Amino acid sequence: MSITTEQKRFWSPDVRELKPYVPGEQPKIDNLLKLNTNENPYPPSPKVVQAVEAVLADSANVLRLYPDPDALQLKQAIATQQHVDVDNVFVGNGSDEVLAHIFKAFFVQDLPLLYADISYSFYPVYSQLFAVNSKILPLNDNFEIVIEDYQQPNGGIILTNPNAPTSIALGVLAIEQVLKANPDSVVVIDEAYVDFGAESAVSLVKKYQNLVVCQTTSKSRSLAGLRVGFAIAQPHLIAALEAVKNSFNSYPIDRFAIAAAVASFEDQAYFEAQCQKVIGNRERLVMALDQLGFKVLPSKANFIFASHPDYDAAELATQLREQGIIVRYFNQPRIDQYLRITIGTDEQNQRLVDTLKHKLFA
């Protein structure tokens, strides 16, 4: 839909200037292999389905009532799995909503928020939406975060770990270096992909009063369709997030999502097994693409970031789409010759490799 300048006169002035986040494409194509939005190729725990069915079976009694605004059962399940106290946990409608509350609660400051030039593309959107003063710091030539750059005056820091779309991870010691250098600023570690081989900063929460760790159930727990995210921090930071949440939407998580997420967190064995399957699939795909001449950055996520010296990335993405395979292409400086490829099942990954080998590289 095209909106004219005349029609935009009804909009708030700030909204007229917004450049919204563009989510990954969700096309309807026959025989589609969808490797563009980092969804998990495996289903959630069978216990999740049972939990949702139990809510549905009692729908006459429970669906007419509001869910628990505190989602206390879910907070307790997360606290148990993450080895923290329940008052260290905040939950929201997907990690994007949790991040929005984080920006409002902590980053509207006189000094600038610091984040990387190549990172989650919602950060500049939220910065604009909440009028957050930002300073964008470049990754180095290897697409790594330069820890020393974050030792300057700031009103907050947000780091994606593993980073997206590069898939490269920081170690806990590097994160602790940032925390020590910024005792008067909130440091947020966005860990959407941490369960696929990176080190979580949750172990540092009890030690640092300025740390917030944000995670999601969308990736490693296969619950993208239910939208459950959470943050872990000391209680004084959780209180700020609760204040923002209750000023925006007191009931952000519905009964189905609460029940499903609780069941997922209680089935640790299934969760760990699925993560290991994705990690194994990733390593085999990296090996196969390496044999085809791709350069693949070291990944600790459920996706890889790859380029080929002999083929244009945009053209490759177009040609793959013609074969029914969707990958993510970013037409942005520094990364316009890379493709972000979600890890699928071994069979799905093999279809990608075979298509490249026999149809595009023949």
Side-chain angles (χ1 to χ4, degrees):
M1 179 184 297
S2 178
I3 307 297
T4 67
T5 302
E6 170 63 17
Q7 291 170 324
K8 286 185 178 180
R9 76 185 190 277
F10 296 108
W11 298 15
S12 298
D14 289 348
V15 177
R16 296 173 202 163
E17 305 301 322
L18 278 179
K19 297 179 181 178
Y21 173 77
V22 179
E25 185 182 11
Q26 300 282 358
K28 299 290 188 293
I29 300 174
D30 292 338
N31 196 30
L32 174 69
L33 176 52
K34 191 170 176 293
L35 302 177
N36 67 322
T37 51
N38 300 340
E39 293 146 321
N40 199 310
Y42 300 109
S45 164
K47 295 181 180 180
V48 167
V49 178
Q50 295 169 10
V52 171
E53 289 175 342
V55 175
L56 188 61
D58 196 26
S59 61
N61 294 319
V62 301
L63 292 189
R64 63 188 178 83
L65 303 174
Y66 285 110
D68 175 8
D70 292 325
L72 187 58
Q73 185 184 12
L74 175 55
K75 288 181 179 179
Q76 185 61 66
I78 293 171
T80 299
Q81 192 268 340
Q82 294 284 336
H83 306 292
V84 297
D85 296 329
V86 71
D87 59 0
N88 294 128
V89 181
F90 174 82
V91 295
N93 187 250
S95 61
D96 286 337
E97 181 183 80
V98 175
L99 287 169
H101 294 338
I102 284 170
F103 268 69
K104 182 62 176 177
F106 306 122
F107 295 155
V108 184
Q109 307 283 352
D110 293 332
L111 291 172
L113 169 68
L114 307 180
Y115 58 86
D117 63 336
I118 301 170
S119 192
Y120 187 28
S121 51
F122 233 130
Y123 301 159
V125 175
Y126 282 151
S127 293
Q128 186 181 14
L129 178 63
F130 295 113
V132 171
N133 179 23
S134 301
K135 184 175 182 180
I136 300 173
L137 303 175
L139 302 179
N140 66 18
D141 292 341
N142 295 321
F143 297 114
E144 299 165 331
I145 291 170
V146 182
I147 294 301
E148 292 74 20
D149 288 349
Y150 294 84
Q151 298 177 12
Q152 59 178 287
N154 65 79
I157 294 170
I158 186 165
L159 301 173
T160 310
N161 190 46
N163 199 9
T166 67
S167 76
I168 296 175
L170 287 172
V172 168
L173 292 179
I175 293 170
E176 193 164 15
Q177 185 177 337
V178 175
L179 288 162
K180 288 178 178 178
N182 297 277
D184 298 320
S185 300
V186 171
V187 176
V188 175
I189 308 299
D190 184 354
E191 295 186 344
Y193 305 99
V194 74
D195 295 318
F196 299 105
E199 295 180 277
S200 175
V202 168
S203 61
L204 301 176
V205 164
K206 291 183 180 179
K207 186 176 179 181
Y208 292 95
Q209 63 176 354
N210 60 328
L211 172 62
V212 179
V213 179
C214 182
Q215 292 190 16
T216 180
T217 64
S218 295
K219 314 300 183 183
S220 57
R221 296 184 180 276
S222 304
L223 295 180
L226 283 179
R227 315 306 302 127
V228 177
F230 61 98
I232 297 177
Q234 291 191 14
H236 62 280
L237 298 179
I238 297 298
L241 294 174
E242 294 286 356
V244 173
K245 185 265 286 188
N246 289 325
S247 302
F248 176 74
N249 181 4
S250 296
Y251 302 93
I253 306 182
D254 64 56
R255 290 182 180 273
F256 289 106
I258 290 173
V262 167
S264 177
F265 279 103
E266 291 179 345
D267 195 350
Q268 184 70 10
Y270 182 91
F271 160 73
E272 292 177 357
Q274 301 315 301
C275 288
Q276 288 303 313
K277 286 172 68 173
V278 172
I279 290 170
N281 295 353
R282 180 186 70 208
E283 299 313 305
R284 287 185 286 274
L285 177 59
V286 169
M287 290 176 59
L289 292 180
D290 182 68
Q291 292 175 359
L292 293 178
F294 278 89
K295 173 188 175 183
V296 183
L297 300 188
S299 175
K300 294 293 185 181
N302 69 333
F303 61 88
I304 58 174
F305 208 47
S307 66
H308 198 290
D310 300 327
Y311 295 89
D312 179 74
E315 181 61 25
L316 269 181
T318 299
Q319 292 180 358
L320 284 170
R321 183 186 180 88
E322 291 171 355
Q323 300 297 322
I325 301 174
I326 309 296
V327 297
R328 192 76 187 264
Y329 171 71
F330 296 89
N331 187 16
Q332 297 175 14
R334 301 187 67 192
I335 59 172
D336 60 357
Q337 287 305 310
Y338 283 81
L339 298 175
R340 193 192 71 187
I341 304 171
T342 302
I343 304 303
T345 64
D346 274 337
E347 293 75 16
Q348 291 171 332
N349 294 341
Q350 191 60 51
R351 177 181 165 187
L352 169 67
V353 171
D354 289 344
T355 299
L356 289 167
K357 185 185 300 183
H358 300 303
K359 295 184 180 296
L360 305 188
F361 291 1

